[in-house]
């Protein structure tokens, strides 16, 4: 039989070996590694009978069925964070291809399988560039985003062999609905002994870039009293962010990257650049938290006589996933004999963007220890098999023959 859980895991291993870096998995937007991963996925999509194209940002899109009928879209992202696990994103892409591969007859609706080129936002700081382009929601100013090497997104896309101007064309994607399978990246399913879960909502997320400008100086002759040390100010801010989030119910806030210049042991740091990632399930609470954190950062900068530049890179609101799709997904889970546990997602997903253009739903797959964004990420073949059965049943409707329902639904 084609499209088995073993196939999915073997392919995840093959994809996991395609990286920008030796010894660890990193695959960012518009890099040769992502292009190689796209080539592999493109071949698997063709083997499954899909007609494949690549769009200007590098999404790999496979289509089956009548081109004039809005498709059911299945997919996830192919890019990764640095030193990633091999299932975040890739599992959803491979499950989608495997479902198409195993269909015994043409599905009742055209299908489109998508491997998004940038969900994590690692290279240019702004997440969801792939699904935004696919959904016709690409912002022209994003072409001027600059990576750590000073390369703009525009140039990166040109160097990858595509025409960035195509991203500016206004398009209405005309999609019927979107369903994404993804590892849970959390402990709930494992704690409750469940193979899969139906996602109810996705937390809102604000990402910012902070720059602290102090005054560089000679480490040996500058008295402590008159210093304007950018790294010391940044360090106070990092701990203040942690304390603020710990004291705020339901809030998570993270400084994931910090770079210092000029970066020599005998020079007082003149500049510090920090990322800030703030999330909450409630948009009002998120907005208040971001404002509170900005006030805290400004207070620290003033007290230390350093300058602060605070720039919001992207803010995406919390999203409730489509109730009717959640019910259909839950029915498929029940029909496969499992409890249809509903749970929220603290992690962001391309479903956030797709939910702006069509009804969207997500199926979570249990992952060991809830670990993710870490090479220790892992899933069980039996859980992947359940996810495949559920997705197939969702796609073909009740036609699938599965075990009698025994589970219960807590939506
Ligand atoms: O950051 C996230 O939540 C996701 O991994 N992009
Ligand atoms: Mn991720
Ligand atoms: Mn992901």
């Amino acid at each position: 039989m084609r499209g088995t859980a073993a196939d999915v895991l073997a392919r995840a291993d093959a994809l996991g070996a395609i990286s920008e870096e030796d010894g660890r998995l990193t695959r960012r937007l518009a890099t040769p590694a992502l292009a190689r991963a796209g080539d592999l996925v493109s071949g698997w999509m063709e083997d499954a009978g899909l007609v494949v194209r690549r769009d200007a940002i590098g999404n790999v899109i496979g289509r089956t069925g009548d081109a004039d009928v809005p498709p059911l879209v299945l997919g996830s992202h192919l890019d990764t964070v640095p030193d990633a696990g091999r299932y975040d994103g890739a599992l959803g892409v491979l499950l989608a291809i495997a479902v198409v591969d195993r269909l015994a007859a043409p599905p009742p609706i055209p299908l489109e399988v998508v491997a998004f080129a940038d969900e994590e936002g690692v290279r240019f700081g702004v997440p969801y560039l792939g699904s935004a382009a696919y959904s016709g929601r690409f912002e022209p100013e994003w072409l001027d985003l600059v990576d750590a090497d000073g390369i703009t997104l525009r140039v990166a896309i040109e160097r990858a062999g595509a025409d960035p101007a195509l991203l500016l064309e206004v398009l209405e994607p005309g999609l019927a609905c979107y369903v994404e399978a993804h590892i849970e990246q959390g402990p709930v399913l494992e704690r409750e002994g469940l193979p899969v879960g139906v996602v109810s909502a996705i937390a809102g997320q604000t990402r910012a870039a902070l720059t602290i400008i102090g005054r560089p100086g000679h480490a040996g002759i500058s008295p402590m009293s008159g210093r304007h040390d950018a790294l010391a100010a940044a360090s106070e801010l990092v701990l203040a962010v942690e304390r603020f989030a710990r004291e705020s119910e339901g809030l998570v806030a993270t400084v994931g990257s910090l770079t210092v210049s000029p970066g020599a042991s005998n020079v007082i740091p003149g500049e510090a650049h920090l990322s800030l990632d703030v999330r909450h399930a409630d948009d009002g609470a998120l907005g208040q938290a971001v404002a509170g954190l900005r006030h805290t950062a400004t207070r620290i900068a003033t007290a230390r006589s350093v300058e602060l530049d605070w720039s919001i890179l992207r803010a995406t609101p919390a999203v409730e996933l489509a109730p009717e799709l959640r019910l259909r997904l839950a029915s498929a889970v029940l029909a496969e004999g499992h409890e249809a546990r509903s749970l929220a997602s603290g992690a962001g997903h391309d479903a956030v963007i797709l939910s702006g253009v069509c009804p969207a739903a997500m199926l979570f797959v249990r992952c060991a220890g809830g670990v993710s964004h870490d090479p220790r990420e892992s899933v069980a073949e039996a859980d992947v098999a359940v996810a495949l059965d559920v997705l197939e049943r969702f796609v073909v409707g009740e036609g699938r023959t599965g075990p009698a329902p025994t589970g219960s639904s807590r939506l």
Side-chain angles (χ1 to χ4, degrees):
M1 175 184 181
R2 295 163 61 105
T4 66
D7 293 335
V8 167
L9 292 180
R11 288 178 170 181
D13 290 345
L15 275 179
I18 300 177
S19 174
E20 296 174 48
E21 299 179 287
D22 292 336
R24 67 181 206 169
L25 174 55
T26 302
R27 231 180 11 239
R28 298 172 303 149
L29 173 61
T31 57
L34 191 75
R36 291 199 307 275
D39 294 341
L40 199 53
V41 162
S42 180
W44 291 331
M45 286 186 180
E46 284 167 351
D47 292 346
L50 294 166
V51 175
V52 184
R53 66 184 175 91
R54 309 270 273 253
D55 69 9
I57 202 156
N59 296 323
V60 184
I61 304 160
R63 174 77 185 232
T64 181
D66 184 339
D68 299 327
V69 174
L72 187 170
V73 183
L74 299 165
S76 191
H77 60 95
L78 209 48
D79 66 307
T80 75
V81 294
D83 198 14
R86 64 189 61 186
Y87 302 106
D88 176 4
L91 182 69
V93 173
L94 295 171
L95 281 167
I97 297 169
V99 166
V100 178
D101 220 357
R102 69 193 296 189
L103 289 178
I109 179 174
L111 298 180
E112 195 146 273
V113 173
V114 189
F116 293 114
D118 182 79
E119 184 271 347
E120 301 287 3
V122 168
R123 183 169 178 185
F124 293 97
V126 169
Y128 310 132
L129 293 177
S131 44
Y134 176 77
S135 305
R137 295 293 185 274
F138 190 86
E139 303 289 343
E141 66 266 20
W142 289 339
L143 287 177
D144 299 318
L145 289 169
V146 179
D147 72 5
D149 299 321
I151 298 168
T152 63
L153 175 56
R154 177 182 286 102
V155 168
I157 290 172
E158 286 165 351
R159 288 181 182 171
D163 176 2
L166 295 175
L167 292 170
L168 306 182
E169 288 175 1
V170 178
L171 60 94
E172 275 313 317
L175 310 174
C177 64
Y178 174 73
V179 177
E180 178 173 0
H182 200 286
I183 52 171
E184 178 199 343
Q185 299 175 307
V188 174
L189 294 176
E190 183 176 68
R191 189 175 59 224
E192 298 185 12
L194 301 171
V196 295
V198 178
V199 183
S200 55
I202 301 172
Q205 177 185 136
T206 296
R207 294 200 192 180
L210 280 51
T211 300
I212 293 178
I213 311 283
R215 192 182 307 156
H218 193 301
I221 57 159
S222 306
M224 292 309 290
S225 58
R227 291 188 177 198
H228 304 279
D229 182 328
L231 178 54
S235 306
E236 183 177 347
L237 177 53
V238 170
L239 292 176
V241 166
E242 183 188 51
R243 188 169 48 251
F244 187 101
R246 280 189 168 157
E247 292 166 0
S248 310
E249 180 61 36
L251 185 76
V252 286
T254 312
V255 175
S257 76
L258 168 63
T259 55
V260 178
S261 73
S265 68
N266 59 351
V267 179
I268 300 166
E271 271 195 36
H273 299 269
L274 306 84
S275 66
L276 179 63
D277 179 312
V278 191
R279 309 195 189 190
H280 198 287
D282 174 81
D283 288 337
L286 177 59
Q288 282 179 2
V290 171
L293 286 166
R294 181 168 192 169
H295 175 77
T296 300
T298 305
R299 177 180 52 74
I300 291 170
T302 306
R304 289 176 168 268
S305 303
V306 295
E307 285 174 51
L308 169 71
D309 180 68
W310 175 284
S311 159
I312 300 291
L313 295 174
R314 188 159 203 199
T316 47
V319 160
E320 191 207 343
L321 294 174
E324 72 280 8
L325 284 187
R326 285 165 50 197
L327 273 177
R328 268 184 56 195
L329 209 44
S331 304
V333 173
L334 287 170
E336 292 299 333
H338 302 283
E339 178 183 340
R341 175 69 153 84
S342 171
L343 67 169
S345 175
H349 299 285
D350 288 306
V352 165
I353 304 305
L354 272 292
S355 68
V357 294
C358 68
M362 288 192 73
L363 181 72
F364 269 173
V365 182
R366 172 169 47 188
C367 60
V371 168
S372 183
H373 286 189
D374 180 316
R376 292 173 300 138
E377 224 172 61
S378 74
V379 289
E381 183 172 337
D383 293 346
V384 173
V386 170
L388 271 172
D389 291 341
V390 168
L391 288 173
E392 182 185 1
R393 181 179 289 274
F394 180 91
V395 167
V396 300
E398 292 316 303
R400 231 191 71 74
T401 51
T406 56
S408 65
S409 165
R410 274 196 285 143
L411 269 179

